[in-house]
Amino acid sequence: MRLKDKRAIVTGAGSGFGAGIARKFAAEGALVLLADINHEAAEAQAREIGGRAAHVDVSDGGSMARMVAEARAAMGEIDILVNNAGVTHMPAPMEEIEEAEFDRVFAVNCKSVYLAARAVVPLMKARGSGVILNIASTAAVSPRPNLNWYNASKGWMTTATRAMAIELAPHGIRVNAVNPVAGDTPLLASFMGEDTPERRAQFLATIPLGRFSTPEDIAGAACYLCSDEAGLVTGVCMEVDGGRCI
Ligand code: ADP
């Protein structure tokens, strides 16, 4: 029960890493609000783990404010916020990514972190404590060809993490990031260009521990960073990548 009675919001909790994080947090004793643009998916996950679902578009300020109000109404306060919702663009040469696609990636992956801070930081400052966790990517450290602007959006998240950590430390608020290597999900195809046995073997050869990430791998790191065990840890961008970024 490493998160006993902690009140947490996890965005993008309808699937993948976010669902894994929500499940782990609930198992460790936290109350969890699972927020996703795909409300049905969030509700299905929430039912399984005994959490509560909320609809949110993390790229919309009004929607984020409503999500935080809903979280407070349901749970009282917010101890932990996990900014996990994210999108990629189709792999393509950088000059071919359409402007609207670029805007979408930066709105969901980056602007969301700013909007979340606008909604949650005043509450955490008032209480003198809180934990924010941003789910970035190994793409921030080791960019993949043709995922150019996605790589850059994740780099933005890691710089934002450190900027938030230094500014919010005097208020008792810790801010960290996890950089997952790709999981074996439909997204994998966009990391590899196409999903063929050869591409998989090539990709796996870049991961010293020899396997893709699972939601449980990411949830384990997230749980540690959001727990009191990590009370002196802030501004860290932790690779969970089987050694890929060494
Ligand atoms: P990952 O492998 O990174 O977990 P997924 O695509 O499985 O990727 O999960 C991303 C989650 O983020 C999905 O549940 C998706 O519905 C959610 N999501 C995407 N865009 C938004 C958004 N604008 N607002 C809220 N949630 C979003």
Side-chain angles (χ1 to χ4, degrees):
M1 286 288 166
R2 295 154 76 195
L3 299 176
K4 190 162 171 40
D5 299 332
K6 301 282 189 196
R7 293 148 297 187
I9 299 175
V10 180
T11 69
S15 70
F17 296 147
I21 292 168
R23 179 180 298 272
K24 173 75 174 170
F25 279 20
E28 295 287 350
L31 290 174
V32 187
L33 185 83
L34 297 92
D36 205 291
I37 200 163
N38 182 342
H39 194 49
E40 279 177 19
E43 276 191 323
Q45 294 293 335
R47 265 195 304 277
E48 275 188 30
I49 66 171
R52 192 186 175 90
H55 179 266
V56 72
D57 177 355
V58 295
S59 65
D60 179 280
S63 180
M64 287 289 255
R66 283 192 294 280
M67 173 193 77
V68 169
E70 210 174 315
R72 290 185 83 195
M75 304 190 292
E77 289 298 342
I78 299 157
D79 301 299
I80 300 169
L81 167 72
V82 182
N83 289 313
N84 165 77
V87 290
T88 56
H89 54 73
M90 288 308 291
M94 58 178 62
E95 68 280 15
E96 292 178 15
I97 304 292
E98 297 290 343
E99 189 174 341
E101 190 68 344
F102 175 95
D103 285 344
R104 186 179 70 92
V105 169
F106 274 75
V108 178
N109 295 359
C110 305
K111 187 180 178 194
S112 60
V113 176
Y114 151 78
L115 293 172
R118 298 260 299 173
V120 157
V121 165
L123 306 174
M124 291 182 170
K125 275 187 175 176
R127 297 173 59 223
S129 69
V131 183
I132 299 174
L133 183 70
N134 298 322
I135 306 302
S137 167
T138 50
V141 183
S142 177
R144 305 279 304 164
N146 292 330
L147 279 177
N148 32 69
W149 308 117
Y150 168 80
N151 298 324
S153 77
K154 292 299 185 177
W156 186 101
M157 284 181 87
T158 58
T159 302
T161 299
R162 288 152 45 81
M164 292 167 76
I166 194 73
E167 186 169 323
L168 296 177
H171 300 279
I173 303 169
R174 300 188 297 106
V175 187
N176 293 295
V178 173
N179 288 338
V181 75
D184 191 354
T185 70
L187 270 187
L188 188 58
S190 59
F191 287 109
M192 297 189 302
E194 53 178 342
D195 193 351
T196 61
E198 296 73 32
R199 288 282 171 94
R200 276 183 175 243
Q202 275 171 9
F203 196 105
L204 280 174
T206 70
I207 304 174
L209 286 179
R211 66 172 178 85
F212 297 109
S213 69
T214 65
E216 290 73 27
D217 292 319
I218 308 315
C223 177
Y224 165 68
L225 289 169
C226 291
S227 75
D228 294 339
E229 291 167 24
L232 196 61
V233 180
T234 197
V236 161
C237 301
M238 181 191 283
E239 274 84 48
V240 180
D241 69 343
R244 178 171 149 71
C245 292
I246 293 171

